[in-house]
Amino acid sequence: VQFLDKTWSVIGSKTSLALTLTSITGIDYGVLCGHTQPEEISVAERMSWASERRTTKVEDRAYSLFGIFNVNMTTIYGEGDKAFQRLQYEILSQVVDHSIFAWVHTDAGQEDTASGLLASSPSAFSCSGDIVTIPHRIFADQWRHSGQLPAQHVQRTAGGLVLELPLLDRL
């Protein structure tokens, strides 16, 4: 990838500008340089890369993330914010990464409304750039959990989402 100015002069490459691009976008330096695959980065962190993205159409905020998450889904212009909800369901159907639930409300007053487990937009992930996914077994080993681990998948039902997560009894 080469970056050009308005006179078509080369400014630099993705690799030569990686530090600048990382500071502007939050995108992992290793990903920009090709040393790290996006799939190695938590869903929450990848979502944070798009938290400041602005698009003309609301749906395009979700649709522009297809490549980052290796997702294919039908584009339905006119669905508005539902596109981001569908994207999250699609990600959950393909990836075992509960960091998708590591988001915060970003709209003033929205804290008082029930929104469920899924975020309403990528903006909700603006503070999630440092979220790291820990595999269940490593988590259990760190906390000396010797019992059975919960199922790692998330199921979508007519009533919402069904998942099991490990809980710790804090003494």
Side-chain angles (χ1 to χ4, degrees), residues 14-34:
K14 182 171 70 170
T15 305
S16 71
L17 296 172
L19 285 174
T20 302
L21 293 170
T22 293
S23 70
I24 293 169
T25 65
I27 297 173
D28 182 86
Y29 178 82
V31 171
L32 289 172
C33 293

Side-chain angles (χ1 to χ4, degrees), residues 71-92:
V71 165
N72 294 305
M73 63 183 227
T74 306
T75 56
I76 306 171
Y77 283 96
E79 72 176 323
D81 292 328
K82 290 180 183 176
F84 190 64
Q85 295 293 308
R86 284 195 312 119
L87 174 66
Q88 291 172 94
Y89 282 125
E90 191 62 33
I91 292 167
L92 283 167

Side-chain angles (χ1 to χ4, degrees), residues 84-140:
F84 190 64
Q85 295 293 308
R86 284 195 312 119
L87 174 66
Q88 291 172 94
Y89 282 125
E90 191 62 33
I91 292 167
L92 283 167
S93 73
Q94 296 181 24
V95 178
V96 177
D97 182 346
H98 297 143
S99 74
I100 196 167
F101 305 120
W103 56 271
V104 295
H105 290 285
T106 54
D107 298 328
Q110 189 181 18
E111 306 87 29
D112 300 326
T113 63
S115 60
L117 285 174
L118 300 178
S120 59
S121 78
S123 298
F125 291 91
S126 62
C127 298
S128 302
D130 59 353
I131 301 293
V132 177
T133 301
I134 300 173
H136 277 60
R137 182 76 265 157
I138 293 172
F139 176 84

Side-chain angles (χ1 to χ4, degrees), residues 134-151:
I134 300 173
H136 277 60
R137 182 76 265 157
I138 293 172
F139 176 84
D141 290 346
Q142 285 178 341
W143 292 97
R144 294 175 183 85
H145 174 74
S146 58
Q148 183 178 3
L149 292 173

